[in-house]
Amino acid sequence: MSNLTTQVAIIGGGPSGLLLSQLLNKAGIDTVILERSTRAHVLARIRAGILEWGTVELLHEAGVGSRMDAEGIPHDGCYMTDEELMVHIDFKELTGKQVMVYGQTEVTTDLYHAQDAMGTRVLHEVSDVEIHDLDQEKSYVDFTHEGIRKRLECLYVAGCDGFHGVSRKTIPEKKRKEFERLYPFGWLGILSETPPVHDELIYSNSRHGFALASMRNENLVRYYVQVPLSDKVEDWSDQRFWDEFSRRIPSEAAGRLVTGPSIEKSIAPLRSFVSEPLRWGNLFLVGDSAHIVPPTGAKGLNLAASDVYYLYTALIDAVKGKTTGIDEYSTQALARIWKAMRFSWQMTTMLHRFDGEDAFAEQMRKATLNHLATSETARRDLAENYIGLPF
């Protein structure tokens, strides 16, 4: 068996694993990243596009913010709508902060370039990962790479390998407490090289179902419609999507809609999920390995970034012998995670129609949107959560 050594083994080469590695490397902490997919596959994933300002600042701290500054689009607000009612949530006015439209694929690309420049060992197409000796002074990870069984000896392991990864499952089932809410619908999303229908995002509630008008840049849109979980991508031609999207957004926005061929189309189910604790001995869960949020609140990538924020300084101290940070990591990160869970659940409930719901539920959605329209306090609460609670 071939042996490698490092200070922090990072399982998962997505944005959370890369960001954690980048910050640790800048502090002089050695890392090795193990990723089950090819780099091309990681970079082809179509994911989040809205960055909280705290995430933007953390990317700057990591030294990977220059292209984001040049190509990202700062947004001062968004719209929440009910049929023709359009409620503007002015982030800048209400909180003094913004969000940044910059796709997760772009963040991942920037982080890969930075890690390559640092010479970080990133091993792709790794399989059969096993994590051992988490209760010992040193731990190790066994895995297969390029047909060879290898061992990575380390002080700590960061599990950044997503919902289906091995990290969370390494914690004994009887020691894990899991919370889950499955939603009875999904989001059908498309990418299209067309100009956005509006210069800010529109979250649209209508009698036909939810729709979201988002974007990646000035000529690349990401639009969504709520669909039953039984639907398949093949059921939705481009023309059917454009027709349905158009009737779910306010007519003022629909009148500006430019349609075109989709360059990507997919359906994502919605769920809320949290696994506690985030620490098991020398193992620390980060991002989707510990929690999943519905995309309604734009919190997925941002929650992973806040986990990284709490963990990277704790690991730097731990390598030097000070363990207060890692001892507090799970409690500290979970406090923010649950607040983001609440916000994402609230947004999902406010904007979606649920199968079998009664007339009361529809009236509650309308009352909530009307309250936002008339209450600055309500708009400020939504804005504070949307731009991101403090780390």
Side-chain angles (χ1 to χ4, degrees):
M1 179 180 287
S2 176
N3 280 16
L4 305 170
T5 61
T6 191
Q7 290 170 295
V8 179
I10 297 176
I11 304 176
S16 60
L18 291 165
L19 179 58
L20 178 61
S21 180
Q22 175 73 10
L23 288 161
L24 290 173
N25 292 167
K26 280 175 66 69
I29 305 299
D30 187 64
T31 63
V32 173
I33 299 175
L34 308 179
E35 166 58 42
R36 63 176 172 263
S37 303
T38 65
R39 180 178 295 204
H41 179 78
V42 173
L43 291 172
R45 296 170 184 160
I46 303 298
R47 293 290 189 272
I50 306 297
L51 304 181
E52 296 175 356
W53 208 250
T55 302
V56 170
E57 292 175 334
L58 188 60
L59 290 169
H60 280 297
E61 185 176 342
V64 292
S66 59
R67 192 165 73 96
M68 174 181 64
D69 290 343
E71 300 179 14
I73 307 173
H75 273 203
D76 291 346
C78 70
Y79 285 88
M80 301 288 161
T81 79
D82 178 31
E83 302 295 350
E84 297 303 315
L85 172 66
M86 295 184 66
V87 182
H88 189 229
I89 311 298
D90 193 323
F91 307 146
K92 196 70 177 293
E93 179 182 291
L94 294 165
T95 72
K97 296 182 180 179
Q98 305 166 296
V99 295
M100 179 74 80
V101 175
Y102 192 64
Q104 177 173 317
T105 300
E106 307 308 320
V107 173
T108 307
T109 298
D110 296 343
L111 285 164
Y112 265 130
H113 288 161
Q115 288 284 273
D116 288 345
M118 283 190 173
T120 304
R121 290 172 288 176
V122 184
L123 307 185
H124 286 275
E125 298 183 84
V126 166
S127 61
D128 304 318
V129 174
E130 298 176 354
I131 308 170
H132 299 280
D133 284 0
L134 291 171
D135 58 349
Q136 302 298 312
E137 183 178 348
K138 292 185 179 181
S139 301
Y140 65 93
V141 181
D142 286 344
F143 60 97
T144 300
H145 181 240
E146 298 177 337
I148 301 171
R149 195 66 179 161
K150 299 180 181 180
R151 174 165 296 179
L152 175 59
E153 297 175 350
C154 56
L155 298 175
Y156 300 104
V157 181
C160 307
D161 50 346
F163 182 78
H164 298 289
V166 69
S167 297
R168 183 181 69 256
K169 297 169 187 175
T170 299
I171 302 174
E173 188 172 354
K174 63 182 180 181
K175 298 295 183 181
R176 279 184 272 134
K177 191 170 186 179
E178 297 185 346
F179 307 83
E180 188 171 35
R181 169 66 56 87
L182 300 177
Y183 298 91
F185 44 75
W187 279 13
L188 169 66
I190 71 163
L191 275 176
S192 176
E193 292 177 326
T194 51
V197 72
H198 199 284
D199 58 2
E200 292 184 335
L201 273 66
I202 299 175
Y203 289 81
S204 184
N205 171 43
S206 83
R207 63 187 180 278
H208 303 295
F210 169 80
L212 170 61
S214 186
M215 67 191 74
R216 291 296 179 266
N217 58 48
E218 294 176 354
N219 197 47
L220 182 63
V221 297
R222 182 67 165 164
Y223 292 157
Y224 301 91
V225 294
Q226 173 187 348
V227 297
L229 288 175
S230 56
D231 279 17
K232 296 180 173 56
V233 172
E234 306 83 67
D235 300 332
W236 286 82
S237 66
D238 285 357
Q239 188 59 53
R240 182 187 176 191
F241 177 89
W242 291 122
D243 290 345
E244 189 62 26
F245 179 77
S246 179
R247 72 176 186 151
R248 294 189 188 191
I249 60 177
S251 57
E252 175 188 333
R256 296 191 296 270
L257 179 63
V258 177
T259 64
S262 63
I263 58 176
E264 191 272 344
K265 191 184 299 178
S266 56
I267 294 178
L270 272 63
R271 69 171 1 131
S272 298
F273 174 84
V274 180
S275 180
E276 300 181 1
L278 303 189
R279 180 191 182 187
W280 182 253
N282 293 334
L283 171 67
F284 304 87
L285 302 183
V286 178
D288 288 358
S289 65
H291 46 77
I292 302 287
V293 288
T296 328
K299 293 301 169 207
L301 175 59
N302 293 298
L303 265 188
S306 69
D307 291 349
V308 169
Y309 174 84
Y310 293 127
L311 184 58
Y312 93 91
T313 51
L315 286 174
I316 291 169
D317 287 343
V319 168
K320 299 174 183 176
K322 184 180 178 182
T323 63
T324 303
I326 60 172
D327 291 341
E328 296 176 351
Y329 167 68
S330 184
T331 300
Q332 196 172 32
L334 281 166
R336 193 175 189 277
I337 288 164
W338 278 113
K339 291 174 185 176
M341 284 286 157
R342 181 207 66 82
F343 177 67
S344 298
W345 165 81
Q346 181 186 51
M347 288 276 286
T348 303
T349 304
M350 176 176 69
L351 292 167
H352 292 78
R353 299 178 68 87
F354 287 72
D355 293 342
E357 71 178 24
D358 56 18
F360 182 83
E362 181 177 0
Q363 291 303 315
M364 288 301 96
R365 280 197 302 277
K366 291 182 176 296
T368 301
L369 269 298
N370 276 313
H371 183 51
L372 281 174
T374 57
S375 171
E376 182 178 308
T377 300
R379 292 193 298 276
R380 178 172 290 107
D381 177 69
L382 193 152
E384 287 176 348
N385 281 272
Y386 196 96
I387 62 98
L389 298 175
F391 289 161

